[in-house]
Each structure stands twice: as C-alpha cells, then as structure tokens.
Amino acid sequence: MLLRQLEYLVALARERHFARAAAACHVSQPSLSAAIRKLERELDVPIVRRGRKFDGLTPEGERVLLWAHRILAEADALRHDLSLMRASLSGTLRMGVIPTALTAASLLTTPFCERHPHARVSLASLSSREITRRLAEFELDVAMTYLDGEPLGNVRITPLYEERYLLLTPDDAELATRPFVRWAEVAALPLCLLAPEMRNRRILDDIFEQAGVVAVAAVETDTVSALYAHVATHRWSSVIAHAWLHMFGVPEGMRVIPLEDPRQAPRIGLVIADRTPEPVLARALLDIAPQVDVRGRLDRLLHDYLR
C-alpha cells in the first residue's frame, strides 16, 4: 500500500467525482482509478460504489477513509519531526478558524511564519461543528474556535481570550451617547447580525433570551465583512465581538458602546486533537501563543476605541 493511493482516496471522497479528484491530484483519471482498484485488491474489500458515476464509498470504504486520514496525518508528522531535527521547520500547518476569530488569527500566524520561514500556513474559515469533525478525522492540525457550549471531542485546548461584545451604531443614534447599553435595548434596534447557523449568533440569541427578549435582524449574513458593509451604511446597528476591531475598526460616522457583560463570556482558544505525538507544526504554534498575549493585545485595542 502506497501513501499516494490513500491520497487519491481522500481526494475522491472530498471531490465526489473521479475527474475532479484526478485533477486535484495532478494525475490522469485512469491512473487514479487504477490506484484505487489496486488498493481494493490489496485490502481485499470493495471501497468505492461504482456505477456510471461516483456513487459514494462502501461501509468498508468509509472505514478505510478514516484510516487514510490518520495515516496521512502521521506521515506529515513524521516529515515535520525530521525537518525539526534539521533545525528548520517546514511543511504546511493546516489551521481551521471560526469566521468570528479570523480577524485575530493573524496575531498568531504572522509571528509563526516569521519564526519558521520555511513553513507554510493553510488557513480555512470553518464552522465550529466542521472544525470538530475535521480535527477528529485528522484533516486539521490545529483550530481556533469556541471552547465552551458545544462538544469538541477528544482534544487539548489552549485558551486565548474571552469574547467581549459591543454595540456598533451610528453616531446620531439614540443610544450613541450612553456609557453602556443593555441587551434588551439593543433588541429594539434595526439590526444586522450573523446568520443563525453560526455559533456567534447562537451565543447572542442565548444572551438575548437571558435578558427576556428576542432579537429579530433585518439583515443576516454569514460573513463579518458583509455585516460591516451593511452597518457602514448607517441604516442598521449590530453587536460585534471586540476581536473584529483588529481588522475592521469602527466605520466613519459610527461608534462602539460596551454591552453589559453576559453571565459567562465565551472563550476562544486553540484546539488540537489529543494524540501522541503532537503535530510538530501545531506544537510550534502553541508555543508562540503565550508570547503573543492575544487577550492583552485585543483588550488594549478595545480600550483605545472606547477612549
């Protein structure tokens, strides 16, 4: 069995199409098909349901796919380990980040790349649930996600900061001169919020519920950039996380006002699968985190905007 055969199988499961999988692997379709048939013969099980087109994997194929992810992850770890012995870390760090933490991810990836110039970072914007799945299936080395409220699986966590919430509203709005705002007051405003399928929105809905209100957004979106684009028109207000200030700041003609603290501030942190040995590149990123002090940098940024 060759690692290349396992890579072909992973690509086929991801693309769900023989021609696209072959293109992703930079081989011809007959070569990819032949390699997977050889893998079936070597393991003596059917892996792919075959018809006129790709029809999914057999139950045995799903099990082989899980092991393929694991074996390929271990092979990457071996390469990284050997590169570390050569005193020059190389390879690609596969990192998944929830959309609401993407703005702060560069606080970690930039010093990581500066310290390890031969290493690369593949950064993917993923839902918290997709992050949990990909960590379990060895498709990610490390993730930056919420640490509370939903199961993360068998992982090790490194807290980075607590999410703090602000009202982003036009300068001439009724609440703009207040020193702080209550959640019930925010629910009465014309709002632009993230979509309900996003973890940030589910957290906000829980906080609104604790305040005895329901927030109905006039505009919902699944990206922070689209939310800012709508709020910058001054037609809507929004509840933002303070980490977003790192990239987007405060649009002209608007201001941020602190919201009363929720009962428990959601934690954002780094997560890796609980396995030995740890991915070398993931460990290198974890080693950088305490030196960066993400919490302190974001708190100072928030203080500057509130001042």
Side-chain angles (χ1 to χ4, degrees):
M1 187 191 313
L2 300 176
L3 291 178
R4 179 62 67 182
Q5 293 170 312
L6 301 180
E7 290 172 351
Y8 291 169
L9 175 61
V10 169
L12 180 60
R14 181 182 66 247
E15 301 293 339
R16 302 190 64 80
H17 190 277
F18 279 97
R20 289 198 299 268
C25 296
H26 307 290
V27 297
S28 67
Q29 182 175 335
S31 296
L32 182 138
S33 298
I36 291 179
R37 287 195 184 95
K38 184 177 180 182
L39 183 61
E40 290 177 317
R41 289 196 300 272
E42 291 177 353
L43 296 177
D44 195 27
V45 293
I47 293 176
V48 178
R49 291 193 178 99
R50 289 183 173 84
R52 297 184 63 181
K53 59 181 181 178
F54 177 74
D55 197 31
L57 302 180
T58 64
E60 296 89 345
E62 294 288 351
R63 182 61 59 88
V64 175
L65 178 64
L66 179 60
W67 276 97
H69 283 302
R70 182 176 301 177
I71 292 169
L72 292 173
E74 294 294 346
D76 284 342
L78 172 60
R79 295 188 189 100
H80 297 159
D81 201 16
L82 293 175
S83 74
L84 186 62
M85 293 178 66
R86 295 193 296 267
S88 178
L89 208 57
S90 62
T92 301
L93 175 69
R94 301 170 301 170
M95 184 175 180
V97 183
I98 55 173
T100 51
L102 271 174
T103 54
S106 63
L107 295 175
L108 295 172
T109 54
T110 299
F112 172 85
C113 292
E114 290 172 348
R115 182 172 300 182
H116 307 290
H118 299 295
R120 296 178 295 165
V121 177
S122 175
L123 194 66
S125 175
L126 302 170
S127 70
S128 56
R129 291 168 179 169
E130 182 66 9
I131 281 174
T132 299
R133 183 190 71 79
R134 293 199 187 190
L135 281 172
E137 296 183 2
F138 302 94
E139 295 180 22
L140 291 176
D141 300 311
V142 64
M144 189 170 173
T145 186
Y146 288 107
L147 303 182
D148 308 300
E150 293 182 352
L152 290 171
N154 191 23
V155 298
R156 302 171 191 169
I157 66 172
T158 301
L160 292 174
Y161 65 92
E162 294 75 36
E163 206 165 57
R164 300 173 65 180
Y165 298 118
L166 307 162
L167 172 66
L168 177 60
T169 196
D171 276 339
D172 57 358
E174 179 182 354
L175 302 178
T177 58
R178 298 275 293 276
F180 77 96
V181 182
R182 294 184 173 85
W183 290 88
E185 295 172 312
V186 174
L189 298 175
L191 293 173
C192 175
L193 299 174
L194 293 179
E197 62 268 19
M198 302 186 71
R199 177 73 181 128
N200 170 271
R201 176 61 183 279
R202 297 196 294 274
I203 290 173
L204 295 187
D205 284 345
D206 287 343
I207 298 174
F208 279 119
E209 184 178 359
Q210 293 169 14
V213 294
V214 175
V216 179
V219 178
E220 295 177 337
T221 177
D222 62 356
T223 68
V224 176
S225 57
L227 182 149
Y228 260 81
H230 282 80
V231 173
T233 65
H234 298 186
R235 291 178 59 94
W236 297 281
S237 298
S238 187
V239 176
I240 67 169
H242 74 307
W244 304 356
L245 296 172
H246 176 63
M247 177 179 292
F248 295 104
V250 176
E252 185 178 354
M254 305 197 76
R255 67 178 57 192
V256 286
I257 306 165
L259 278 155
E260 58 185 348
D261 292 334
R263 296 174 186 172
Q264 181 177 1
R267 296 183 301 162
I268 303 288
L270 294 175
V271 178
I272 64 171
D274 187 11
R275 61 186 175 98
T276 303
E278 291 178 334
V280 175
L281 291 175
R283 169 42 56 189
L285 185 73
L286 293 176
D287 290 342
I288 285 174
Q291 304 166 28
V292 172
D293 185 21
V294 176
R295 177 186 291 106
R297 292 185 64 171
L298 293 179
D299 283 349
R300 288 191 292 274
L301 179 66
L302 173 60
H303 175 76
D304 289 342
Y305 275 102
L306 293 178
R307 183 179 58 186

